[in-house]
């Protein structure tokens, strides 16, 4: 069974969900201070989907990087991009889950880079599965 198209769809849906929520969050999420904390419920759920998408992208970019060899700069670049986003995501996510000590600046970087990464890899996987 070929899972390429479902994986591509999943990656693109998560990318779209992150972008939509990133733009919607200022309207529903921020609190007014210590007595009114930010509403992070949507992000706390979406983080799980983002983590699963990152695992998929790490696997697909690593697989492509290994099969292409070091001559394919695109494969190497996408793998490095995936690793960089993962390095930012994982510790910040664990801090958010464990003690709330995550950094909103890091989340802004992740929520900007991750959708680009997911969309590009989803698009590449979709095109590759069409041939």
């Amino acid at each position: 069974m070929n899972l390429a198209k479902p994986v591509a769809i999943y990656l693109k849906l998560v990318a779209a969900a992150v972008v939509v929520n990133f733009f919607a969050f200022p309207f529903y999420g921020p609190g007014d201070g210590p007595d009114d904390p930010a509403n992070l419920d949507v992000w706390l759920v979406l983080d799980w989907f983002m983590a699963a998408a990152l695992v998929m992208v790490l696997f697909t970019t690593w697989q492509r990087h290994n099969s292409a060899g070091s001559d394919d700069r695109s494969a190497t670049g996408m793998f490095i991009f995936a690793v960089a986003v993962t390095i930012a995501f994982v510790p910040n996510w664990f801090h958010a889950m464990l003690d709330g000590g995550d950094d909103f600046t890091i989340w802004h970087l992740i929520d900007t880079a991750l959708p680009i990464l997911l969309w590009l890899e989803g698009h590449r996987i979709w095109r590759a599965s069409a041939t």
Side-chain angles (χ1 to χ4, degrees):
M1 183 166 124
N2 188 0
L3 294 175
K5 288 202 179 203
V7 167
I9 291 169
Y10 180 82
L11 295 178
K12 286 187 167 193
L13 285 174
V14 172
V18 170
V19 169
V20 167
N21 195 50
F22 188 70
F23 283 112
F25 183 72
F27 299 107
Y28 78 82
D32 293 329
D35 297 334
D36 184 23
N39 180 4
L40 300 173
D41 295 342
V42 175
W43 282 118
L44 294 174
V45 172
L46 193 55
D47 286 346
W48 287 95
F49 292 97
M50 293 163 64
L54 267 175
V55 169
M56 290 178 196
V57 167
L58 282 170
F59 178 75
T60 60
T61 58
W62 174 77
Q63 190 178 37
R64 180 173 166 228
H65 170 71
N66 275 351
S67 66
S70 61
D71 295 337
D72 188 349
R73 290 174 141 177
S74 173
T76 302
M78 282 298 288
F79 178 66
I80 291 170
F81 186 19
V83 169
V85 173
T86 303
I87 289 171
F89 179 85
V90 171
N92 216 41
W93 183 40
F94 284 146
H95 280 296
M97 287 190 309
L98 297 176
D99 62 5
D102 53 328
D103 185 344
F104 276 121
T105 302
I106 301 297
W107 280 124
H108 281 234
L109 294 171
I110 293 166
D111 296 336
T112 303
L114 182 102
I116 296 167
L117 172 68
L118 298 182
W119 193 269
L120 287 173
E121 187 63 9
H123 186 70
R124 186 199 65 78
I125 292 169
W126 184 273
R127 278 193 354 233
S129 69
T131 58

